[in-house]
Amino acid sequence: MTQQTLSAATVQVPSVMRSTALLDPRTKLLALFLINTIAYGTGSLLAQFLAAVAVALLLATLRDRKPLAIYAITYAVSTALYLALPHLITGWLPALLVAVGFWVARFAITIGYFAYFLLSTGPSELTAALATLRVPRLISVPLAVVLRFVPTVIDELRAIVDAMRLRGLASSASALALHPISTTQHVLLPLLASTSRIADELSASALIRGLGRPERPTTVVRLRFGLADAGMLVFLGVLVAVSVMNVGVSWSFR
């Protein structure tokens, strides 16, 4: 291999590994903190709606639209229970449904944004972002491992369920719920064995990558702020201002 070929390969690697996500991981981390704080805070109803709309727009940027559909339906139904049901029916059952809708709406915002963060951020991107922020490796390495571990476990669970369907052991999700002992035997036990194997493989991969060394590792991921990040920062500023000033109807459960 000539020197020109080596130089070309060296130049092409960063462009291939470059992040193509809409937002910089550092912006996502800031949004993760602020959106979750507002979702579980005592802010105004307007702030809650703005946070919910922001999560929906972020989920809409993903290729897979299934998370967006699940989030939109869950948030819409739970918010309708909380806001509309008290004006239609009274009694202990409606009060219980109102309480459930109140908390499910808040959990939906948190889980929806976490799903976006998980599906749009790679472990290398997160590690590079935390390294630029000077976050201790005691925190950054476990977070990167979680980003690798969770999708792998989900894939393993899908493979186990598909295998059960092929063998006629599970025709639907309701069949799994109606037979907990069989589910434990055919799903949980293989899943626990798979997660143990996955953990060993991730540990070996981490050692090969040199994550146990005291030096800070280098990365080929290029992080840079763009117009989308600037717009997100402006939106987060407006969101915080609306929440602090308590603009709009107060969203509180009493």
Side-chain angles (χ1 to χ4, degrees):
M1 183 179 290
T2 63
Q3 186 67 27
Q4 280 186 336
T5 307
L6 287 173
S7 302
T10 305
V11 172
Q12 290 175 0
V13 168
S15 63
V16 174
M17 300 288 292
R18 190 179 307 163
S19 172
T20 58
L22 179 65
L23 296 176
D24 187 273
R26 292 164 290 185
T27 306
K28 296 178 187 178
L29 290 172
L30 178 61
L32 177 66
F33 173 74
L34 293 179
I35 289 178
N36 280 276
T37 301
I38 292 173
Y40 293 104
T42 57
S44 66
L45 180 60
L46 178 60
Q48 302 285 346
F49 279 151
L50 289 177
V53 171
V55 173
L57 293 177
L58 292 174
L59 289 174
T61 62
L62 301 176
R63 294 181 180 179
D64 187 5
R65 297 304 174 87
K66 186 177 179 179
L68 174 62
I70 296 175
Y71 166 76
I73 294 174
T74 302
Y75 182 78
V77 172
S78 58
T79 304
L81 286 175
Y82 170 67
L83 294 179
L85 194 59
H87 302 284
L88 300 176
I89 309 174
T90 59
W92 67 269
L93 182 58
L96 179 61
L97 294 177
V98 167
V100 171
F102 174 81
W103 287 109
V104 170
R106 298 193 174 199
F107 283 127
I109 296 175
T110 300
I111 297 175
Y113 186 84
F114 181 75
Y116 164 76
F117 187 87
L118 186 66
L119 295 174
S120 65
T121 308
S124 300
E125 297 171 354
L126 180 62
T127 303
L130 295 177
T132 58
L133 296 175
R134 302 298 179 182
V135 176
R137 298 180 66 186
L138 182 65
I139 300 175
S140 62
V141 172
L143 289 177
V145 172
V146 167
L147 282 184
R148 291 184 182 273
F149 183 76
V150 173
T152 307
V153 172
I154 294 175
D155 291 339
E156 288 288 336
L157 180 60
R158 289 175 178 172
I160 292 172
V161 174
D162 290 340
M164 291 182 62
R165 289 176 178 173
L166 289 176
R167 296 178 181 180
L169 299 176
S171 57
S172 62
S174 60
L176 295 176
L178 293 175
H179 301 85
I181 298 179
S182 177
T183 301
T184 303
Q185 178 182 358
H186 296 100
V187 177
L188 294 183
L189 293 180
L191 183 62
L192 289 176
S194 298
T195 53
S196 178
R197 175 180 53 81
I198 293 169
D200 292 338
E201 293 175 353
L202 289 178
S203 299
S205 176
L207 292 176
I208 293 174
R209 293 171 180 266
L211 293 181
R213 298 184 58 83
E215 298 86 359
R216 189 173 296 275
T218 58
T219 179
V220 295
V221 177
R222 295 181 181 180
L223 302 179
R224 60 183 62 183
F225 286 97
L227 293 178
D229 297 285
M232 188 64 181
L233 292 177
V234 172
F235 174 80
L236 291 175
V238 173
L239 192 62
V240 171
V242 171
S243 179
V244 171
M245 298 175 62
N246 201 21
V247 178
V249 181
S250 177
W251 188 356
S252 60
F253 181 67
R254 301 183 187 278

